[in-house]
Amino acid sequence: MGHIVNTEREYRLLQQRLDKNITGAPYSPVFMQILKLLFAPAEAAIARQISLRPVPVAKLAGKTGIDKAELQEHIHTMAIKGLVFDWQHKGTDYVVLAPVVIGFFEFVFMRAREDLDMAALAKLFEEYMLKDDRFARDVFRESTQLGRALVREESLPDGDYSEVLDWEKATHIITAAPAIGLSLCACRHKATHLNKACAAPLRSCLTFGHGAQMLISKGMAEPVGAGEALRILADCKQAGLMQIADNVQNSVGFMCNCCSCCCGMLQAIRTFSIQTAVITSSWLAHIDTQRCNGCGLCVKACPVEAITLAASDSPNRLQAVCEQELCLGCGVCRLACKRGGIRMVKRAQQVMVPETTFDRMVSMAIERGKLSNFLFDDPSRLSHRALGRVASILERSAPVKALMATKPIRSTFLAAAAAKARQYTDR
């Protein structure tokens, strides 16, 4: 009986550990079932002790009391399943616990597999993510998000094309990537196991750079060249999918080709009215009332229902209307219109996108009150360079957000200093 209780405890501690991540993992009996399907009891006991930031495996071995070779085997098994990231750098093995998203949800469903009960997992993830809004509001709360909309370059007026920055162009992200991985769309793959997937291309998830190389090495992605990736992009556009990319300017890590019926980000907008779940592009759809004949093609094409049909000045004629506060600026509607009745216009204010993944994660952590969780799992390993980067982000933050972030930082440093002092006292 004690063994059962301890096993349950390990899973509960793992859930609490995952909930400290920036995107969260709120408790639910359904989520506990997901963890039990994914993590063996011994894996859960190890995983809940893995840092939210990279930690040397040798150090984790000392923390867990498990022989390093045995621990390495457990980590390898979890990495193949997509539950942790592991890699080697300058002869040292590192590991970090994957969040739920973007993390082990995607890595579980990015490929066809027989080592997990995919149908059961699909049903449980669907219930956890969509039965109520707790998980979605944890992931997508505040203003800095994981993904941003890319405007379709071909939807822009010729005169404005030069204003699009490189990191705003899907084609540039692909052609500039040092490595490209192609995977199954995790959201549509999940939907196939629920017998409700749409007809959109399944092999459509693109990853880039180091992330692509890691996924390729674990069998979660296949390597493709820029030419093949551009062809896939073109096919996805033809299918009416919108492009959502990593919300960073430098070293973009992923690009999704999303449908409104399966995509978790778009479902958060459509199902729970979390309008900021995806960062908009710097463009807006503008309806030309003289050319619009109210056919409704743009209404069907819009992935977030930002366009509706309303009565026009002409009798017995409908008119397309775009609600600018909802428009993501993807340009899908522009290409769906057969009469040239939609054009993309610049937003009044340039959309702010974090420069790097580190910047994005720090900004998200500040907004969600989790900066100390993200930075100080091991305060002694935070470099001066990283601290300087955090300080610069704090300086650019609103005063209230900066104050919220500074307090836990100070308390964590004091706790770390006290622990260090006790070390010397105990000698």
XYZ file of all heavy atoms in Angstrom, residues 211-282:
509
model
N 16.934 22.941 -32.781
C 15.730 22.197 -32.442
C 15.420 21.128 -33.471
O 15.052 20.001 -33.124
N 15.577 21.467 -34.746
C 15.351 20.496 -35.809
C 16.333 19.335 -35.701
O 15.954 18.162 -35.827
C 15.481 21.172 -37.172
N 17.600 19.653 -35.462
C 18.614 18.608 -35.349
C 18.306 17.663 -34.189
O 18.484 16.439 -34.304
C 19.990 19.247 -35.175
C 20.471 19.996 -36.419
C 21.718 20.810 -36.175
O 22.061 21.133 -35.036
N 22.422 21.158 -37.250
N 17.819 18.222 -33.072
C 17.497 17.391 -31.919
C 16.319 16.470 -32.230
O 16.349 15.269 -31.911
C 17.173 18.282 -30.713
C 17.001 17.517 -29.408
S 16.674 18.619 -28.002
C 18.173 19.596 -27.997
N 15.278 17.010 -32.876
C 14.116 16.200 -33.217
C 14.471 15.129 -34.239
O 13.990 13.990 -34.158
C 12.993 17.091 -33.748
C 12.360 18.061 -32.748
C 11.281 18.883 -33.434
C 11.787 17.325 -31.552
N 15.307 15.471 -35.193
C 15.746 14.504 -36.198
C 16.513 13.358 -35.542
O 16.306 12.184 -35.866
C 16.610 15.198 -37.273
C 15.749 16.138 -38.124
C 17.299 14.163 -38.168
C 16.548 17.085 -39.002
N 17.379 13.695 -34.600
C 18.188 12.664 -33.926
C 17.335 11.710 -33.101
O 17.720 10.567 -32.860
C 19.239 13.324 -33.028
O 18.632 13.947 -31.898
N 16.153 12.186 -32.663
C 15.264 11.341 -31.849
C 14.175 10.674 -32.687
O 13.285 10.025 -32.147
C 14.607 12.192 -30.748
C 15.582 12.762 -29.727
C 16.254 11.651 -28.933
C 17.120 12.195 -27.804
N 18.315 12.923 -28.269
N 14.215 10.850 -34.006
C 13.230 10.229 -34.868
C 11.881 10.926 -34.874
O 10.884 10.367 -35.339
N 11.829 12.167 -34.370
C 10.568 12.919 -34.331
C 10.394 13.807 -35.554
O 9.337 14.411 -35.739
C 10.514 13.783 -33.068
C 10.554 12.986 -31.776
S 10.615 14.072 -30.344
C 11.211 12.920 -29.103
N 11.431 13.932 -36.368
C 11.365 14.729 -37.592
C 12.284 14.099 -38.623
O 13.224 13.384 -38.282
C 11.785 16.173 -37.314
N 12.002 14.364 -39.888
C 12.880 13.915 -40.957
C 13.572 15.136 -41.562
O 12.958 16.212 -41.673
C 12.086 13.181 -42.038
C 10.977 14.005 -42.677
C 10.229 13.237 -43.748
O 10.820 13.005 -44.826
O 9.051 12.889 -43.512
N 14.832 15.006 -41.934
C 15.534 16.163 -42.497
C 15.039 16.459 -43.907
O 14.838 15.540 -44.709
C 16.995 15.719 -42.498
C 16.930 14.220 -42.562
C 15.707 13.825 -41.814
N 14.818 17.732 -44.200
C 14.435 18.144 -45.553
C 15.230 19.385 -45.924
O 15.713 20.121 -45.064
C 12.921 18.453 -45.664
C 12.085 17.209 -45.418
C 12.510 19.566 -44.710
N 15.373 19.618 -47.220
C 16.044 20.808 -47.707
C 15.082 21.975 -47.813
O 13.859 21.832 -47.684
N 15.641 23.155 -48.086
C 14.826 24.361 -48.197
C 13.811 24.247 -49.336
O 12.663 24.701 -49.197
C 15.718 25.580 -48.399
N 14.206 23.631 -50.442
C 13.302 23.481 -51.576
C 12.061 22.677 -51.223
O 10.934 23.061 -51.571
N 12.263 21.555 -50.524
C 11.142 20.723 -50.108
C 10.258 21.466 -49.109
O 9.022 21.393 -49.161
C 11.653 19.420 -49.496
C 10.596 18.510 -48.892
C 9.659 17.894 -49.932
O 9.858 18.128 -51.139
O 8.726 17.180 -49.534
N 10.890 22.192 -48.172
C 10.126 22.944 -47.176
C 9.285 24.032 -47.839
O 8.136 24.268 -47.451
C 11.066 23.553 -46.143
N 9.830 24.699 -48.855
C 9.075 25.726 -49.575
C 7.901 25.112 -50.339
O 6.827 25.724 -50.441
C 9.996 26.483 -50.533
C 11.019 27.420 -49.887
C 12.005 27.936 -50.931
C 10.333 28.591 -49.177
N 8.104 23.919 -50.864
C 7.001 23.227 -51.557
C 5.882 22.895 -50.583
O 4.689 23.056 -50.891
C 7.510 21.950 -52.222
C 6.457 21.247 -53.084
C 6.856 19.835 -53.452
N 6.997 18.975 -52.283
C 5.955 18.470 -51.621
N 4.714 18.744 -51.996
N 6.147 17.687 -50.579
N 6.259 22.426 -49.392
C 5.266 22.112 -48.361
C 4.523 23.379 -47.945
O 3.296 23.376 -47.776
C 5.955 21.456 -47.152
C 6.424 20.044 -47.529
C 5.026 21.406 -45.930
C 7.402 19.438 -46.573
N 5.258 24.466 -47.801
C 4.638 25.746 -47.467
C 3.608 26.139 -48.529
O 2.486 26.567 -48.208
C 5.707 26.829 -47.334
C 5.222 28.263 -47.114
C 4.493 28.384 -45.775
C 6.394 29.243 -47.176
N 3.973 26.002 -49.795
C 3.065 26.349 -50.887
C 1.813 25.467 -50.872
O 0.690 25.960 -51.070
C 3.788 26.216 -52.230
N 1.992 24.163 -50.611
C 0.848 23.248 -50.547
C -0.088 23.626 -49.403
O -1.316 23.562 -49.543
C 1.328 21.804 -50.364
C 1.998 21.240 -51.607
O 1.859 21.859 -52.684
O 2.660 20.192 -51.493
N 0.497 24.012 -48.282
C -0.307 24.375 -47.114
C -1.072 25.675 -47.363
O -2.232 25.821 -46.944
C 0.582 24.511 -45.879
S 1.208 22.926 -45.262
N -0.450 26.606 -48.041
C -1.161 27.839 -48.397
C -2.310 27.540 -49.340
O -3.405 28.096 -49.210
C -0.184 28.837 -49.028
C 0.796 29.457 -48.038
C 1.707 30.455 -48.728
C 2.655 31.133 -47.748
N 3.533 32.116 -48.414
N -2.070 26.640 -50.289
C -3.110 26.249 -51.237
C -4.292 25.616 -50.502
O -5.452 25.764 -50.921
C -2.543 25.266 -52.265
C -3.494 24.892 -53.384
C -3.844 26.082 -54.283
O -3.021 26.965 -54.502
N -5.077 26.099 -54.786
N -3.999 24.935 -49.398
C -5.046 24.284 -48.599
C -5.740 25.261 -47.662
O -6.637 24.868 -46.909
C -4.443 23.127 -47.801
N -5.336 26.531 -47.686
C -5.985 27.551 -46.866
C -5.472 27.635 -45.443
O -6.131 28.228 -44.575
N -4.305 27.050 -45.174
C -3.755 27.086 -43.824
C -3.005 28.395 -43.568
O -2.442 28.978 -44.481
C -2.802 25.908 -43.613
C -3.374 24.515 -43.913
C -2.340 23.450 -43.606
C -4.655 24.268 -43.120
N -3.012 28.840 -42.321
C -2.247 30.030 -41.974
C -0.943 29.610 -41.322
O -0.823 28.498 -40.785
C -3.033 30.959 -41.037
C -3.153 30.485 -39.595
S -3.692 31.810 -38.464
C -2.212 32.829 -38.377
N 0.045 30.485 -41.358
C 1.366 30.177 -40.819
C 1.559 30.868 -39.466
O 1.349 32.077 -39.340
C 2.464 30.616 -41.799
C 2.592 29.722 -43.020
C 1.377 29.757 -43.938
O 0.945 30.832 -44.363
N 0.810 28.601 -44.224
N 1.939 30.078 -38.474
C 2.258 30.585 -37.138
C 3.691 30.175 -36.834
O 4.040 28.994 -36.922
C 1.305 30.034 -36.060
C -0.129 30.484 -36.343
C 1.746 30.486 -34.667
C -1.153 29.955 -35.356
N 4.530 31.156 -36.497
C 5.948 30.898 -36.261
C 6.331 31.181 -34.814
O 5.591 31.838 -34.067
C 6.800 31.748 -37.207
N 7.475 30.688 -34.457
C 8.114 30.983 -33.176
C 8.143 32.500 -32.964
O 8.554 33.256 -33.840
C 9.543 30.420 -33.240
C 10.223 30.368 -31.899
O 9.612 30.739 -30.887
O 11.400 29.946 -31.874
N 7.712 32.960 -31.793
C 7.594 34.391 -31.527
C 8.943 35.004 -31.139
O 9.133 35.508 -30.035
C 6.559 34.633 -30.422
C 6.294 36.109 -30.191
O 6.419 36.925 -31.098
N 5.942 36.460 -28.960
N 9.885 34.942 -32.078
C 11.210 35.549 -31.900
C 11.668 36.103 -33.246
O 11.168 35.708 -34.291
C 12.266 34.541 -31.379
C 11.912 34.030 -29.984
C 12.421 33.375 -32.342
N 12.646 37.004 -33.190
C 13.221 37.554 -34.414
C 14.410 36.740 -34.902
O 14.582 36.533 -36.102
C 13.671 39.001 -34.178
C 12.562 39.967 -33.820
C 13.075 41.379 -33.618
O 14.059 41.797 -34.237
N 12.435 42.130 -32.736
N 15.244 36.277 -33.977
C 16.478 35.576 -34.331
C 16.361 34.077 -34.068
O 15.830 33.668 -33.041
C 17.659 36.139 -33.522
C 17.830 37.628 -33.737
O 17.583 38.142 -34.826
N 18.254 38.336 -32.700
N 16.885 33.291 -34.984
C 16.900 31.828 -34.832
C 15.501 31.283 -34.558
O 15.250 30.628 -33.538
C 17.863 31.416 -33.705
O 19.174 31.859 -33.971
N 14.586 31.549 -35.464
C 13.217 31.042 -35.347
C 13.251 29.519 -35.269
O 13.898 28.857 -36.078
C 12.366 31.504 -36.555
C 10.989 30.856 -36.533
C 12.243 33.024 -36.555
N 12.546 28.958 -34.285
C 12.644 27.524 -34.038
C 11.609 26.664 -34.730
O 11.847 25.479 -34.970
N 10.432 27.228 -35.033
C 9.384 26.411 -35.644
C 8.463 27.266 -36.499
O 8.373 28.488 -36.336
C 8.561 25.677 -34.575
C 7.697 26.590 -33.719
C 6.425 26.967 -34.138
C 8.156 27.068 -32.502
C 5.629 27.798 -33.365
C 7.370 27.911 -31.719
C 6.099 28.273 -32.153
N 7.759 26.592 -37.386
C 6.701 27.204 -38.188
C 5.591 26.173 -38.358
O 5.812 25.089 -38.900
C 7.204 27.651 -39.557
C 6.153 28.405 -40.382
S 6.685 28.636 -42.106
C 8.214 29.547 -41.880
N 4.406 26.502 -37.876
C 3.255 25.624 -38.014
C 2.389 26.094 -39.175
O 2.276 27.294 -39.426
C 2.412 25.635 -36.741
S 3.285 25.088 -35.263
N 1.762 25.160 -39.861
C 0.777 25.464 -40.905
C -0.570 25.041 -40.344
O -0.875 23.844 -40.286
C 1.129 24.718 -42.188
C 2.388 25.269 -42.832
O 2.369 26.323 -43.441
N 3.503 24.556 -42.680
N -1.352 26.027 -39.919
C -2.461 25.761 -38.999
C -3.842 25.868 -39.623
O -4.119 26.778 -40.408
C -2.381 26.739 -37.829
S -0.814 26.654 -36.929
N -4.711 24.932 -39.211
C -6.130 24.984 -39.562
C -6.902 25.372 -38.314
O -6.496 25.058 -37.189
C -6.604 23.625 -40.073
S -6.397 22.283 -38.890
N -8.016 26.045 -38.512
C -8.774 26.532 -37.362
C -9.467 25.416 -36.595
O -9.786 25.577 -35.417
C -9.820 27.554 -37.822
O -10.704 26.971 -38.764
N -9.685 24.261 -37.244
C -10.434 23.194 -36.589
C -9.590 22.326 -35.660
O -10.121 21.707 -34.730
C -11.118 22.315 -37.629
S -10.022 21.689 -38.910
N -8.277 22.265 -35.872
C -7.424 21.375 -35.076
C -6.390 22.109 -34.226
O -6.011 21.615 -33.159
C -6.693 20.392 -35.988
S -7.771 19.322 -36.972
N -5.899 23.249 -34.683
C -4.796 23.944 -34.017
C -5.161 24.381 -32.596
O -6.170 25.063 -32.387
C -4.383 25.163 -34.845
S -3.172 26.228 -34.021
N -4.310 24.025 -31.631
C -4.568 24.395 -30.245
C -4.537 25.890 -30.013
O -5.316 26.422 -29.213
N -3.638 26.600 -30.708
C -3.561 28.050 -30.539
C -4.821 28.725 -31.069
O -5.392 29.604 -30.417
C -2.330 28.596 -31.271
C -0.999 28.119 -30.717
S 0.385 28.930 -31.575
C 1.750 27.895 -31.048
N -5.258 28.301 -32.261
C -6.446 28.909 -32.850
C -7.712 28.492 -32.102
O -8.670 29.267 -32.002
C -6.552 28.535 -34.322
C -5.402 29.052 -35.207
C -5.622 28.632 -36.667
C -5.267 30.567 -35.112
N -7.718 27.287 -31.554
C -8.873 26.855 -30.768
C -8.992 27.669 -29.488
O -10.099 27.920 -29.002
C -8.775 25.362 -30.453
C -9.127 24.475 -31.636
C -9.096 23.000 -31.286
O -8.366 22.566 -30.404
N -9.899 22.219 -31.986
N -7.866 28.079 -28.918
C -7.915 28.925 -27.722
C -8.617 30.241 -28.026
O -9.330 30.795 -27.183
C -6.504 29.181 -27.207
N -8.413 30.738 -29.244
C -9.072 31.980 -29.672
C -10.543 31.731 -29.945
O -11.423 32.455 -29.453
C -8.383 32.552 -30.921
C -6.931 32.944 -30.609
C -9.148 33.763 -31.447
C -6.126 33.383 -31.818
N -10.845 30.701 -30.707
C -12.216 30.454 -31.156
C -13.097 29.883 -30.045
O -14.280 30.221 -29.945
C -12.206 29.500 -32.343
C -11.578 30.085 -33.601
C -11.286 28.994 -34.623
N -12.502 28.338 -35.065
C -13.154 28.624 -36.188
N -12.696 29.568 -36.989
N -14.245 27.970 -36.531
N -12.539 29.008 -29.205
C -13.337 28.329 -28.183
C -13.435 29.122 -26.890
O -14.501 29.195 -26.276
C -12.756 26.931 -27.885
O -12.654 26.189 -29.097
C -13.622 26.163 -26.898
N -12.310 29.717 -26.477
C -12.282 30.397 -25.176
C -12.142 31.914 -25.284
O -11.989 32.588 -24.266
C -11.134 29.830 -24.334
C -11.226 28.348 -24.087
C -10.188 27.498 -24.438
C -12.360 27.792 -23.518
C -10.269 26.133 -24.220
C -12.459 26.429 -23.294
C -11.411 25.594 -23.646
N -12.169 32.433 -26.508
C -12.068 33.891 -26.735
C -10.810 34.488 -26.120
O -10.825 35.612 -25.618
C -13.316 34.602 -26.183
O -14.475 34.171 -26.858
N -9.705 33.732 -26.167
C -8.418 34.262 -25.705
C -7.770 34.918 -26.921
O -6.984 34.304 -27.647
C -7.530 33.149 -25.116
C -8.277 32.391 -24.019
C -6.241 33.754 -24.546
C -7.513 31.206 -23.451
N -8.119 36.171 -27.164
C -7.765 36.827 -28.425
C -6.257 37.013 -28.602
O -5.774 37.181 -29.719
C -8.475 38.185 -28.524
C -9.982 38.104 -28.373
C -10.644 37.172 -29.381
O -10.085 36.888 -30.435
N -11.825 36.675 -29.049
N -5.504 36.989 -27.495
C -4.050 37.211 -27.582
C -3.259 35.911 -27.645
O -2.041 35.927 -27.478
C -3.573 38.031 -26.375
O -3.915 37.334 -25.159
C -4.211 39.410 -26.349
N -3.925 34.775 -27.886
C -3.213 33.486 -27.884
C -2.152 33.413 -28.972
O -1.175 32.669 -28.847
C -4.208 32.332 -28.039
N -2.339 34.166 -30.054
C -1.351 34.266 -31.124
C -1.057 35.739 -31.356
O -1.980 36.545 -31.492
C -1.873 33.628 -32.436
C -0.849 33.803 -33.560
C -2.190 32.148 -32.232
N 0.219 36.087 -31.382
C 0.606 37.470 -31.652
C 0.297 37.795 -33.112
O 0.574 36.998 -34.009
C 2.104 37.685 -31.372
C 2.424 37.344 -29.906
C 2.530 39.115 -31.692
C 1.699 38.173 -28.895
N -0.271 38.949 -33.355
C -0.629 39.319 -34.724
C 0.616 39.674 -35.532
O 1.676 39.965 -34.989
C -1.570 40.531 -34.739
O -0.834 41.706 -34.342
C -2.751 40.335 -33.805
N 0.458 39.679 -36.859
C 1.486 40.259 -37.718
C 1.334 41.776 -37.668
O 0.438 42.302 -37.004
C 1.337 39.755 -39.155
O 0.282 40.440 -39.817
N 2.166 42.482 -38.388
C 2.083 43.944 -38.413
C 1.113 44.456 -39.478
O 1.146 45.627 -39.851
C 3.482 44.546 -38.649
O 4.325 44.285 -37.550
